[in-house]
Amino acid sequence: MKQLRIRTLAGLLVVAAVLSWAGARLWDAFGTLPAVPLFAPIVLAAIAAVLLATALAFRSRLRAQRERRPEAKGVDPLVAARALVFGQASALVAALVAGMYGGVTVFLLGYLEVPARADQALYAGTSLVAGAGVIAAGLYLERVCKLPEDGDDNTPGAAPTV
């Protein structure tokens, strides 16, 4: 599998933010902007927590396996591959979602004097931060699942991922 590039994720985030900002302006000009759900940052934070927990579990198991500890419990390659795909997919989708909420946040910052819009700006901004957490956790999981280079068991290099 190819490794995700931060440049690609940042590009997705920026494009989604610009489109979302323009869409929010257009939507607000013709009617009422839909509300940002309260559970959006909560769900994103939960996904980030699952990705981070998976990465930390894999990291400790792989370290024990590399150190050849007798009680070391290996990682099934298929499970690692599935976790890697989940991390990459989550990071890509989170870049789009964080960009969307980022664009809405920028739009709503112009209306902070309206209490309802201020609350929506807070929810959207929190969703942006939680989406960035999903991206970071997905990239960390990808880094943990990276295979060492051939013939070099201890040094992580630019080897292909699982």
Side-chain angles (χ1 to χ4, degrees):
M1 290 190 78
K2 284 189 173 183
Q3 192 171 4
L4 282 179
R5 295 178 137 185
I6 295 176
R7 185 177 10 172
T8 303
L9 294 172
L12 281 171
L13 193 141
V14 168
V15 168
V18 169
L19 291 174
S20 177
W21 173 78
R25 282 186 53 144
L26 183 65
W27 197 316
D28 193 55
F30 290 110
T32 305
L33 190 64
V36 177
L38 174 62
F39 287 106
I42 296 168
V43 170
L44 288 169
I47 293 170
V50 167
L51 287 170
L52 184 62
T54 303
L56 293 175
F58 279 6
R59 187 184 81 176
S60 66
R61 289 171 69 179
L62 290 172
R63 181 179 293 155
Q65 194 174 7
R66 267 194 314 273
E67 293 171 355
R68 306 215 190 285
R69 292 187 206 154
E71 77 279 356
K73 191 175 179 185
V75 176
D76 182 23
L78 188 57
V79 172
R82 287 177 180 163
L84 175 67
V85 169
F86 175 59
Q88 286 185 342
S90 297
L92 286 168
V93 171
L96 291 171
V97 170
M100 181 188 75
Y101 285 123
V104 170
T105 302
V106 169
F107 172 75
L108 291 173
L109 287 177
Y111 299 98
L112 290 179
E113 64 277 355
V114 179
R117 294 262 172 129
D119 289 344
Q120 293 299 304
L122 177 67
Y123 299 156
T126 309
S127 297
L128 170 64
V129 172
V134 172
I135 294 169
L139 290 174
Y140 182 62
L141 178 60
E142 181 182 55
R143 183 173 179 264
V144 166
C145 290
K146 185 182 272 191
L147 293 173
E149 289 188 39
D150 290 335
D152 194 330
D153 292 333
N154 295 327
T155 309
T161 55
V162 175

